Amino acid sequence: MDFLLTPIPLPQLTDFETWVNDWVFVLSFAFLGVELVRYAVQKRLNWSLLGDTISNYITFAGFIVLNYIVLGVFYLAAYFYFQQFALFDIETNLATVAICIVLADLAYYWEHRFTHRVNVAWATHTVHHSSPHFNISVANRFGPMDGVWPIFFHAPLIVAGFDPLVVLFAEIMVQTYQTILHTEVIGKLPRPFEFFFNTPSHHRVHHGSNAQYLDKNYGGVFIIWDRMFGTFAKEEEPVVYGLVRPINSVNPVVIWFHGFTRLGAKVAHAPGLFSKLRAILGPPEWEPPERGTRQRFAPAE
Amino acid sequence: MLSTIRLFVSLTVSFFILAAGAWAASTLSSHAAAENTNVSAGLTLQVTDIRNDKGKIIVLVFDDAAAFQSDDVNKAVAYQEVNAAQGTLEIDFANLTEGPYAVSLFHDENGDYDFNMVDGYPLEGYGISGASGPLDEPDFQKAAVTLGTVTIRVFYLDS
């Protein structure tokens, strides 16, 4: 078992991370080809789908520019800042990296749940959910601020004592695992696997706008978290992908900013400071009361 | 209300998992694995900043706070005298296998086996484990070291 405890040099870890990331991206293009052929055979291939697919990669390009150039610096600075508060002294080896990935997945669960339930975070994450289709190109459909929220939810791992670069590695592994879930091609996997792990089936549910599928299956690698915390739903009736209120556009500018224009409109429309705050921090489905009919206090749930 | 309680419990469980995971990870180190198989356990001193080759470095190791405080040679658990060498000198105490220990040493330049002082002012170099500077006189708790390699700097106040 010595190999589990042999220290791993950090450059080796980041090289591996780049290698995995790059190859998954390249192979996802090949897989997209398979999916497009399948769409054609099923006579579902049309200009709207192709436009949506291209726009997915345009949002990805914007996300990369923002993340690697602007956020990247802030991200690493924030991470190394938190390192000084490290509680445990944790070495980097296969065993501890594996534990870090499990914990990063738990952190991701809460980050993901937060971005669905708090409107200001939903304003950026809604981009990922605004496609009415479900194929591997949707995995790369990101909003402008999607790189901001992970910082807050993964900082506790650094305070716990994991190296910032190991945490970043774990985050990227969790993200990369999810990339390959965005497909209709794969049905249901063997039951033990479906029980423990997030699968294409579980993630189709997550992208559903059907009432029983809303705000379900937040998990990244493990679906166990959803089963534990009561947010699991099984794929039963056919999934209708996209938003409850669709954007009906393949324009990348509309796709990227619709969350913020919707948030802005809701805040502007909300009467009084408290309902404006609630429009920002409340859940996406909350609607401010009509002007003139507002009550002294915000209505209870 | 029920959903708020559920959220709170879920978050609490998550923090517990995070703490347990981090603690488990902290125990999984190659260092811990190596310690169990390391046969050359003991105390090794790296004595640094020795100013010349004259005389000897005389080292006393204590495992008792009172003996350490009074610098009582008769109650030291280990004693070594090593010919001084300018720079850094490594001194091994392979037979010291427990601890904690506090180390006190001086550079006996004139070879009289005494730490020479004038009016309470040291004429010869000295060093104590855990000391942060020449005027630091750590108590046993602060001076205590466990096994492995410990660096002790020699200070000279007369130069």
Side-chain angles (χ1 to χ4, degrees), chain A residues 119 122-124 126-127 254-264:
Chain A
N119 214 10
W122 174 244
T124 175
T126 178
V127 172
V254 173
I255 291 171
W256 233 37
F257 295 109
H258 77 270
F260 289 100
T261 50
R262 285 179 178 187
L263 173 67

Side-chain angles (χ1 to χ4, degrees), chain A residues 5 7 91 93 96 110 229-230, chain B residues 6-7 10 14 21 25 28-30:
Chain A
L5 298 182
E91 219 174 72
N93 53 45
T96 61
W110 287 107
F229 304 140
Chain B
R6 192 164 195 177
L7 180 66
S10 300
S14 297
L28 296 169
S29 72
S30 58

Side-chain angles (χ1 to χ4, degrees), chain B residues 21-82:
Chain B
W23 173 79
S26 72
T27 65
L28 296 169
S29 72
S30 58
H31 187 68
E35 248 175 33
N36 296 332
T37 55
N38 194 355
V39 285
S40 63
L43 181 66
T44 302
L45 302 180
Q46 289 275 351
V47 184
T48 71
D49 297 81
I50 300 167
R51 70 174 169 189
N52 58 42
D53 299 341
K54 282 191 240 167
K56 289 179 168 164
I57 302 293
I58 292 181
V59 188
L60 296 172
V61 182
F62 299 94
D63 62 355
D64 175 74
F68 170 69
Q69 229 70 352
S70 58
D71 235 356
D72 187 342
V73 186
N74 299 316
K75 287 183 179 161
V77 289
Y79 170 92
Q80 268 196 55
E81 43 179 274
V82 182

